[in-house]
Amino acid sequence: MSNNRDANTARSHAQQIATKQILAGAAVLLALAIPSHAALDIGERASDFTTEAAFAGKVYKFSLAESLKKGPVVLYVFPDAFPEGCSVEAHNFAEATPQFAALGASVIGASGDDVETLTKFSVQACQTKFPVASDHTQAVMKSFDAVMQTRPEYANRISYVIAPDGKIVSHYMSLNPNKHVEKMLDTLRSWAGGRDK
């Protein structure tokens, strides 16, 4: 009788583990099926914003509307100044600044960091090549669907090309910092080529 009870207990325990595994798998599938915070749609009008920004170690007021008067704007939103991935991404954008300029575009980074932190970041990681905007209120993050769902105090890593008319041309979201510059340059080349026709 003791053996039957032990066998039943072991079987019951195995069924509980299997049920937990099935439920965990279902939860993962459900999480994948529910869209995460999506980017703005292509053709949708970007929200205008004005905020404190840092360029070459100096603070100034950045206005998206004013920048768009000069040409397309690449807005890249990143989680936090100075961690390795964010510094790599800033370095990549800094190195590509001449290519963006050749396409008539300007670059602005944005994060939830305070402007004092971004003043240092604008010199060190951004190499005095482009400005970074302080979004400590998360207004930019929210209006560009860039709040990280799992850690809402941070932005997701997302880049946009915004046309001079204020409409979204393209977006690219990935926590990997290495493809953002390439994707934005490809978009700008295609967009410029399409306008020349």
Side-chain angles (χ1 to χ4, degrees):
M1 187 132 177
S2 169
N3 287 341
N4 281 344
R5 203 172 337 154
D6 290 344
N8 286 338
T9 302
R11 197 173 309 117
S12 175
H13 184 65
Q15 287 173 337
Q16 288 174 348
I17 290 173
T19 301
K20 286 180 183 177
Q21 289 174 338
I22 290 169
L23 289 174
V28 167
L29 289 175
L30 183 60
L32 292 174
I34 297 171
S36 62
H37 224 62
L40 297 179
D41 289 334
I42 307 297
E44 190 173 343
R45 186 163 296 284
S47 297
D48 186 26
F49 65 91
T50 300
T51 189
E52 280 190 313
F55 177 68
K58 300 202 180 347
V59 176
Y60 76 106
K61 283 283 185 200
F62 172 85
S63 164
L64 179 60
E66 288 301 312
S67 290
L68 288 171
K69 289 178 184 177
K70 301 171 194 162
V73 172
V74 173
L75 168 66
Y76 86 92
V77 184
F78 60 97
D80 197 19
F82 292 112
E84 183 179 355
C86 297
S87 294
V88 164
E89 185 178 30
H91 174 79
N92 292 345
F93 271 106
E95 292 297 310
T97 299
Q99 294 171 67
F100 285 110
L103 294 164
S106 61
V107 174
I108 176 85
S111 78
D113 292 292
D114 59 63
V115 77
E116 292 79 19
T117 300
L118 292 175
T119 300
K120 296 174 195 148
F121 192 71
S122 75
V123 173
Q124 294 173 16
C126 303
Q127 303 170 27
T128 311
K129 301 273 179 100
F130 65 90
V132 281
S134 175
D135 186 29
H136 62 276
T137 64
Q138 293 194 334
V140 175
M141 284 186 236
K142 289 174 183 170
S143 65
F144 284 86
D145 287 339
V147 176
M148 191 182 294
Q149 282 193 325
T150 56
R151 299 198 56 203
E153 66 275 19
Y154 292 103
N156 214 334
R157 190 179 311 281
I158 185 166
S159 300
Y160 286 95
V161 172
I162 306 167
D165 65 1
K167 292 185 179 172
I168 303 296
V169 175
S170 175
H171 56 76
Y172 177 71
M173 183 184 304
S174 173
L175 284 175
N176 183 331
N178 293 315
K179 296 266 185 198
H180 286 260
V181 168
E182 174 188 330
K183 297 284 188 183
M184 297 301 97
L185 284 170
D186 288 347
T187 294
L188 284 164
R189 288 182 192 112
S190 295
W191 178 78
R195 293 186 50 193
D196 292 340
K197 293 178 183 174

